[in-house]
Amino acid sequence: MQNITIFCFGASYFVALVLEVVGLWARFGWHRVVMIAMAVAGLFAHSAYLVLHAAGDAATVGTPAEWYLVVAWVLAALYVGGLFAMPRSSVGLFSLPLVVALVVVAAYSSESPFAPRRGSVFWGALHGWLLALGAVAVSVGFLAGAMYLVQSWRLKRKLPPSRGFRLPSLETLEHVNGTALGFSVIFVAGGVIAGVILSRFRGSDATPASLWADPLVWTSSLLLLWLVVAEVFRWVYPAARHGRKVAYLTLASFGFLMLMLIAMRWAGGVHESKPATVADRSAISPQTAERSATLDLGGTA
């Protein structure tokens, strides 16, 4: 794992792109399997690289190179999700060239870190937005799953349609269920990875013990674990891709989301708000820092 380089996942994405292009004219027996394997392997190595690059002692975070890699990771994750959600689409012909280009640009970009304050703001915003999008995706899946069960119950009992109560077709709700589950994995995984990188800006305050003491950290990790297991189960067990089973998976996902939202009520540790210090304010502007230092010294005196 420590030997993972940008070339590893960049080459995997490139091979997947070549297979996408070749698929326009000819497809061999294991064409799709190999293409998915290369894309998933590239995304796994990409994710491991970001986490290890943030966790390593000699690593830097908040650099221009990492900004490109994060954008590439999101696009690659969306592509992998699309391979399962829309197996007959050619989205990869459009998204993979951009992913490969971003990885190449990242390989030749500066690795000098931005100011800690700027990097912390960026990763903090990304962490919050991705988890928010993950919560939206889980909620959409929950609503679609609930409507699917209600519609299925009505059809089984051959209840006549009501003018004031109409629901989408079972096929539409089933598609929304599967798509929402796939996107929730991508967004929550991205939010967790961004949180790991953000913890590097906390210095000694972000020890493993302090991270796992925060209920929001372990509940979001538990949500991610369930989403990954549910998505893997859905694709390994074909029957879980259709009917009531996928609805049950999204309902259970919403239950784990509720645990995370409840934990936000008692969030502490690394998520606890702290008053800004003179050092924090100095990252904004020298004039502000000078005025803040004068006021603080005057107040102490």
Side-chain angles (χ1 to χ4, degrees):
M1 295 288 286
Q2 296 290 341
N3 297 324
I4 293 177
T5 63
I6 293 179
F7 177 80
C8 294
F9 51 87
S12 297
Y13 294 144
F14 181 75
V15 172
L17 174 60
V18 171
L19 291 173
E20 285 275 9
V21 175
V22 171
L24 293 174
W25 293 277
R27 289 179 179 268
F28 51 89
W30 294 90
H31 180 275
R32 177 171 169 78
V33 175
V34 175
M35 186 171 64
I36 292 177
M38 296 305 300
V40 171
L43 185 62
F44 175 79
H46 196 164
S47 303
Y49 180 87
L50 289 177
V51 173
L52 293 174
H53 197 58
D57 292 335
T60 58
V61 292
T63 66
E66 283 199 351
W67 282 39
Y68 290 118
L69 289 179
V70 168
V71 175
W73 184 92
V74 174
L75 292 174
L78 291 174
Y79 166 69
V80 171
L83 285 176
F84 296 106
M86 300 175 292
R88 297 184 179 180
S89 68
S90 300
V91 176
L93 294 173
F94 299 89
S95 60
L96 281 179
L98 183 56
V99 171
V100 173
L102 287 169
V103 171
V104 172
V105 171
Y108 293 96
S109 295
S110 172
E111 294 191 357
S112 300
F114 294 109
R117 177 67 179 173
R118 291 177 59 193
S120 180
V121 169
F122 168 75
W123 290 109
L126 186 66
H127 172 61
W129 275 108
L130 286 177
L131 286 181
L133 290 173
V136 170
V138 172
S139 300
V140 169
F142 165 75
L143 295 174
M147 287 188 287
Y148 184 97
L149 295 177
V150 172
Q151 184 76 319
S152 176
W153 179 84
R154 289 177 58 87
L155 292 176
K156 281 186 176 181
R157 283 155 181 77
K158 298 181 180 180
L159 297 178
S162 173
R163 179 177 299 181
F165 184 78
R166 292 183 179 273
L167 293 175
S169 66
L170 292 180
E171 292 76 12
T172 300
L173 293 172
E174 183 180 281
H175 177 73
V176 173
N177 264 315
T179 303
L181 188 59
F183 277 110
S184 62
V185 174
I186 294 172
F187 289 136
V188 174
V192 170
I193 292 175
V196 172
I197 297 175
L198 175 63
S199 69
R200 287 287 295 163
F201 291 98
R202 300 300 181 102
S204 59
D205 294 336
T207 61
S210 65
L211 286 173
W212 289 107
D214 192 326
L216 191 54
V217 171
W218 59 262
T219 51
S220 59
S221 300
L222 187 62
L223 172 63
L224 175 60
L225 177 61
W226 163 256
L227 290 173
V228 171
V229 170
E231 186 68 1
V232 170
F233 174 74
R234 194 167 69 93
W235 290 106
V236 170
Y237 183 50
R241 306 178 197 176
H242 310 287
R244 300 166 66 91
K245 293 183 178 62
V246 67
Y248 291 140
L249 290 177
T250 53
L251 293 181
S253 300
F254 189 75
F256 283 98
L257 175 64
M258 286 297 99
L259 288 178
M260 189 184 79
L261 296 180
I262 292 173
M264 291 180 66
R265 175 64 179 80
W266 294 281
V270 294
H271 289 93
E272 186 175 8
S273 299
K274 296 179 180 179
T277 61
V278 176
D280 294 328
R281 293 191 292 267
S282 66
I284 302 174
S285 67
Q287 293 80 5
T288 302
E290 183 178 355
R291 289 196 299 268
S292 300
T294 302
L295 290 174
D296 288 346
L297 289 175
T300 304

